[in-house]
Amino acid sequence: VGPGNILKVDSFLNHQMDVALFAAMGQEWARLFAGEKIDKILTIEASGIGVACVAAQQFEVPVVFAKKSRTKNIAGDVYRVEVPSFTHGTVNDVILKAGERLLLIDDFLANGAALEGLIRLARQAGALVVGAGIAVEKAFQPGGDRIRAMGVRVESLARIGSMSPGRIEFC
């Protein structure tokens, strides 16, 4: 746990990725969401992409990632929603072109802004959010409760009840 209550996972989850761990996570989400029809996995760039891609192998579906900025190679109708970033302290425009039954996959759930933005984005596109698979949920922050109150099923593989420098307590 670093300054600003930032959980350091860069050695296995986002900067350096433990692909064997990702595969196990994908298998667990496949077990948890077995029986659900899923057309695509949706995540947000950038840290969620790796785990979403490996999870998508289990579901045998493609991954769509919501971009944080418009690029010149995205044409046609897109859906846009503003999403504040907890880590970066900025507000990003997120762009997506989609419209099916979606499973949201992300690395973290803290305040829930990114996930809520993806849900709003999916609803704008006329898509159905089947659920959300989260690698690490900071259960002591309001995001999980907010997303569940929206009627979205959230399956977090690790739930942290509290943390401080040098100490992490799991739920």
Side-chain angles (χ1 to χ4, degrees):
V1 179
N5 217 25
I6 302 295
L7 183 62
K8 299 283 290 168
V9 295
D10 57 328
S11 66
F12 64 92
L13 189 57
N14 49 34
H15 293 96
Q16 176 173 297
M17 296 181 242
D18 183 336
V19 180
L21 173 63
F22 284 16
M25 292 164 63
Q27 290 170 356
E28 181 62 4
W29 284 317
R31 185 189 70 77
L32 291 167
F33 289 101
E36 293 284 354
K37 181 181 179 337
I38 296 168
D39 297 314
K40 289 183 181 173
I41 289 182
L42 172 63
T43 192
I44 191 165
E45 71 175 358
S47 295
I49 295 173
V51 69
C53 287
V54 176
Q57 289 181 306
Q58 295 296 316
F59 293 94
E60 298 180 351
V61 298
V63 172
V64 175
F65 66 93
K67 296 187 67 62
K68 292 182 181 176
S69 61
R70 181 181 284 259
T71 58
K72 291 179 182 179
N73 65 345
I74 295 179
D77 294 331
V78 294
Y79 299 90
R80 178 180 292 239
V81 64
E82 283 193 354
V83 177
S85 168
F86 173 79
T87 306
H88 299 288
T90 59
V91 175
N92 303 303
D93 282 337
V94 180
I95 301 166
L96 174 67
K97 195 174 187 179
E100 288 119 340
R101 294 175 58 87
L102 305 173
L103 175 62
L104 310 181
I105 297 285
D106 207 1
D107 58 344
F108 271 100
L109 175 54
N111 289 319
L115 204 56
E116 185 176 356
L118 290 178
I119 293 164
R120 289 193 329 250
L121 200 60
R123 289 177 178 168
Q124 284 178 16
L128 173 68
V129 174
V130 174
I134 304 299
V136 179
E137 178 182 345
K138 292 180 177 178
F140 59 90
Q141 289 184 268
D145 290 339
R146 283 182 44 213
I147 300 305
R148 289 177 180 97
M150 294 173 70
V152 175
R153 176 181 170 193
V154 177
E155 296 289 352
S156 300
L157 301 183
R159 294 186 74 235
I160 297 174
S162 66
M163 61 185 215
S164 59
R167 189 178 79 60
I168 297 173
E169 182 179 317
F170 291 92
C171 295

